Amino acid sequence: MESQKRKPRADAVRNRELLISAARDVLKTGGPNASLEAVAREAGVGIGTLYRHFPTREALFHAVFSRDLEDIVVLAEGQETAADPVAALRSWLHANVALVETKRGMLGALSVVMTPESKEAYSGDMQRIKAAVDRLLERAAEAGQIRDGVTSEDLLQTMYALCYAREPGPDWREKVLKLLDIFLDGLKL
Amino acid sequence: MESQKRKPRADAVRNRELLISAARDVLKTGGPNASLEAVAREAGVGIGTLYRHFPTREALFHAVFSRDLEDIVVLAEGQETAADPVAALRSWLHANVALVETKRGMLGALSVVMTPESKEAYSGDMQRIKAAVDRLLERAAEAGQIRDGVTSEDLLQTMYALCYAREPGPDWREKVLKLLDIFLDGLKL
DNA sequence: ATATATACGGAGGGTGCCTCCGTTTTGCAA
DNA sequence: TTGCAAAACGGAGGCACCCTCCGTATATAT
């Protein structure tokens, strides 16, 4: 192996971190169309540096959210041994909504995640989430509690769609959960 | 009454129509973030003219879609006398999805409709749609076929959310209808 | 200490947003 | 008709953002 690699430069590592952190802030208020130049300014680096680290908007988003995605995965995997599969599903979805709520800007930004172009970039995390949710769905279907033929993708898409449909506001969570629960009820049988 | 009005200028009327027509084309391919300057170019008028006729992006969208909204309203009002309220609801929603499908660019653009800022501009058409759908919901609820406490806004929001969640593709309609039907099933009881 | 691979920054060219205002066109009345 | 004021036109201008490119700076390895 010619893995005679140099150690990564310290400034590069530092700047990357600064950018992610700045992006987190800017996305929070600016949503998915937030200005990347603003991110660079906030991070105190040149715009060129931003683009070198993250060639596309999606790449930056990915870096910002991969940790949050991690939380979601852990949550899903934690539910896998729960007694009531449907309740587990519901509970995971609710937790998920709550997470989206706290992240605010993430709400809009997450929609970017679901677009086909970025599917590839996210494949790693998404794969794990999908796998976990699929196991939950399968368990519930086997227990005869929900219809089958419903994929984790269906469920995730619906959840994010409902989150995304409504502007943040005082009754945001309440409304989203209401619609989500109706959907879950439709799943039963 | 001092309605001593001048006749509206011919060029103004003509340009307005050109703009709407150009906007329809540009939105079809460009989605909700399409360039307004492109619309003006396409229409062969100056950008200033566009902004004079339509002070905001929403105003332009409204002009473009008000005819389509009209179709939807007529559809809803036509269902009001149907025998089975739930079937009527489902049938209207399906027709609605089909309409969204044919309009393509409308898909994204419609999301603009649902944002709070534009609520006012749309109040006219939206009021009629909501009224019609509310009557359908009410009938179904009175017949004891669906839960109550669900508003037309809930339903519309969900439908548009599901339409919007998925990129157009070969199985677009199939998937959207699947999810929508699940939701409707959740409504029953 | 020096070389060189790496990374940095920001100028530059392109596009879009929206406003403002000098110029043109149009409807109406004389 | 002609004249004129109201109404509409167009696009320049100022600002922000996007993304690329490349001359300059710097960290690592020898």
Side-chain angles (χ1 to χ4, degrees), chain A residues 32-183:
Chain A
N33 293 343
S35 155
L36 297 188
E37 299 204 319
V39 172
R41 273 196 301 275
E42 177 87 6
V45 307
I47 183 65
T49 298
L50 183 150
Y51 276 98
R52 200 170 332 96
H53 282 288
F54 307 104
T56 69
R57 184 173 286 266
E58 282 79 23
L60 179 57
F61 285 12
H62 181 213
V64 169
F65 294 128
S66 71
R67 283 163 203 158
D68 301 320
L69 286 179
E70 183 66 24
D71 291 349
I72 295 182
V73 170
V74 170
L75 221 52
E77 290 171 348
Q79 293 287 2
E80 287 190 25
T81 59
D84 177 350
V86 173
L89 215 44
R90 184 184 308 268
S91 143
W92 179 73
L93 287 170
H94 282 216
N96 226 314
V97 170
L99 196 79
V100 169
E101 186 178 24
T102 64
K103 299 292 175 183
R104 286 295 170 177
M106 197 172 153
L107 199 169
L110 259 175
S111 72
V112 177
V113 175
M114 304 304 286
T115 173
E117 307 88 62
S118 54
K119 276 278 171 58
E120 200 178 350
Y122 282 85
S123 59
D125 314 79
M126 281 310 267
Q127 229 50 277
R128 285 184 60 197
I129 293 189
K130 281 173 61 173
V133 176
D134 271 329
R135 279 193 293 274
L136 287 178
L137 282 171
E138 204 179 332
R139 280 215 305 147
E142 276 173 6
Q145 297 190 21
I146 66 169
R147 69 178 76 187
D148 54 68
V150 175
T151 70
S152 60
E153 202 162 342
D154 292 337
L155 193 57
L156 290 170
Q157 215 155 56
T158 301
M159 187 192 74
Y160 287 125
L162 291 177
C163 285
Y164 190 62
R166 206 176 186 80
E167 303 287 313
D171 59 350
W172 182 86
R173 187 210 288 233
E174 182 193 356
K175 278 289 189 179
V176 172
L177 290 182
K178 173 182 166 189
L179 298 178
L180 194 55
D181 281 343
I182 291 176
F183 186 85

Side-chain angles (χ1 to χ4, degrees), chain B residues 124-140:
Chain B
D125 314 78
M126 281 311 265
Q127 231 47 279
R128 286 183 60 194
I129 294 190
K130 281 173 61 174
V133 176
D134 271 329
R135 278 193 293 274
L136 288 177
L137 282 169
E138 203 179 331
R139 280 216 304 149

Side-chain angles (χ1 to χ4, degrees), chain A residues 33 164-165 167, chain B residues 27 30-34 36 56-63 65 69 105-122 126 157 160-161 164:
Chain A
N33 293 343
Y164 190 62
E167 303 287 313
Chain B
L27 289 192
N33 292 344
L36 297 188
T56 70
R57 184 172 284 267
E58 282 80 23
L60 179 57
F61 285 12
H62 181 214
F65 293 127
L69 286 180
M106 199 171 152
L107 201 167
L110 261 175
S111 73
V112 175
V113 176
M114 305 303 285
T115 172
E117 307 88 63
S118 53
K119 276 279 171 60
E120 199 179 350
Y122 282 86
M126 281 311 265
Q157 214 155 56
Y160 287 124
Y164 191 62

Side-chain angles (χ1 to χ4, degrees), chain B residues 156-170:
Chain B
L156 290 171
Q157 214 155 56
T158 301
M159 186 191 74
Y160 287 124
L162 292 177
C163 285
Y164 191 62
R166 210 180 180 79
E167 303 287 314

Side-chain angles (χ1 to χ4, degrees), chain B residues 9 11-12 15 45-49 52-53:
Chain B
R9 278 178 56 161
D11 53 351
N15 283 336
V45 306
I47 183 65
T49 297
R52 200 171 329 99
H53 282 289

Side-chain angles (χ1 to χ4, degrees), chain B residues 8-69:
Chain B
R9 278 178 56 161
D11 53 351
V13 175
R14 178 167 29 86
N15 283 336
R16 168 169 250 272
E17 221 51 36
L18 285 173
L19 280 166
I20 293 179
S21 160
R24 194 186 306 278
D25 289 351
V26 172
L27 289 192
K28 196 168 300 181
T29 67
N33 292 344
S35 155
L36 297 188
E37 300 205 317
V39 172
R41 272 197 301 276
E42 178 87 5
V45 306
I47 183 65
T49 297
L50 184 152
Y51 276 98
R52 200 171 329 99
H53 282 289
F54 306 104
T56 70
R57 184 172 284 267
E58 282 80 23
L60 179 57
F61 285 12
H62 181 214
V64 169
F65 293 127
S66 71
R67 284 162 202 159
D68 301 320
L69 286 180

